[in-house]
Amino acid sequence: PDSRGAEPPDTTDLDRLRSAASGCRGCPLYQDATQTVFGEGDAGAQVLVVGEQPGDKEDLAGEPFVGPAGKLLDRAFEEAGFDRRSLYVTNAVKHFKFKREGKRRIHQKPGRTEVVACRPWLLAELRAVRPELVLLLGATAAQSLLGPKFRLTAHRGEPVEAPADVADLVPSALATVHPSAVLRAPDRDDAYAAFVADLRAAAKLLG
Ligand code: URA
């Protein structure tokens, strides 16, 4: 890893940011991942959605949330009444972190160092989109913007205030579980219903 290309260019043009992010070497994850998976959606989106990191499918496709978690997310957004076009979807970390087990690539949770290294790209996306609401999916996304002390279990589904350093970019925020956690939950139906309820609470925060 080195610092070449690790700093986002000073622009709010999403295409320029995406192209710059494709060469980022700000942490070691670029070495094994297929590609940078930058955010996707309209620059005028009302809601910026932050996941953890691309998974296996996203790493290959180069697009966020196209795998099983993404399918669940799409369904939940629709059920909660969100228009796809009102969303810009991205991740806290933009390279897939995994370990190999035979032919399989097993997801590994990104560490604080990787989250911090990737954060300038997330902030650049926030500057470009200027969303009304930031929806944080899972503890990694939440802690990237709200700080490492933020406890998702204590505050899921409620409006949360962003710390002063990002307050101008995060006018309102709500954190909920990651859709992968819904897929893994012992009672998936209950977990899904609670997830949709959180998304409905998020929709209510929009003007
Ligand atoms: N999980 C995430 O957090 N992001 C993706 O893009 C896909 C799965």
Side-chain angles (χ1 to χ4, degrees):
D2 59 44
S3 59
R4 270 180 292 160
E7 194 64 35
D10 184 14
T11 178
T12 55
D13 182 320
L14 283 170
D15 291 334
R16 281 189 58 206
L17 287 170
R18 169 193 307 275
S19 139
S22 70
C24 183
R25 297 175 168 209
C27 83
L29 295 184
Y30 78 91
Q31 293 170 333
D32 295 326
T34 308
Q35 57 194 321
T36 306
V37 179
F38 204 65
E40 237 175 42
D42 203 88
Q46 265 182 304
V47 185
L48 187 142
V49 183
V50 188
E52 183 196 73
Q53 63 166 342
D56 180 72
K57 295 272 195 308
E58 290 79 14
D59 170 76
L60 297 171
E63 292 170 50
F65 284 108
V66 294
K71 300 266 181 307
L72 183 138
L73 186 61
D74 283 346
R75 185 155 71 90
F77 271 133
E78 198 177 315
E79 225 167 292
F82 281 93
D83 180 347
R84 252 277 174 199
R85 283 165 306 179
S86 69
L87 307 173
Y88 179 92
V89 179
T90 191
N91 284 298
V93 170
K94 288 171 175 54
H95 280 108
F96 180 34
K97 181 179 182 180
F98 60 93
K99 62 172 193 264
R100 288 191 192 278
E101 271 178 23
K103 282 190 180 165
R104 294 185 58 204
R105 303 192 300 169
I106 311 294
H107 162 277
Q108 286 198 294
K109 197 173 143 64
R112 184 73 193 153
T113 331
E114 287 135 3
V115 172
V116 169
C118 215
R119 194 168 180 266
W121 294 104
L122 178 58
L123 297 180
E125 288 174 297
L126 283 163
R127 259 180 234 113
V129 177
R130 289 268 163 199
E132 250 180 75
L133 169 71
V134 178
L135 180 65
L136 301 156
L137 304 176
T140 300
Q143 292 179 349
S144 172
L145 288 180
L146 304 176
K149 292 201 180 108
F150 179 79
R151 288 292 164 263
L152 182 60
T153 40
H155 299 292
R156 73 170 280 186
E158 59 185 53
V160 282
E161 206 168 308
D165 62 331
V166 293
D168 62 326
L169 295 174
V170 185
S172 74
L174 184 138
T176 182
V177 294
H178 193 282
S180 299
V182 178
L183 289 172
R184 283 193 311 265
D187 192 332
R188 209 201 269 199
D189 291 345
D190 282 357
Y192 179 73
F195 183 59
V196 172
D198 286 351
L199 298 188
R200 289 209 169 99
K204 288 211 181 91
L205 299 176
L206 292 171

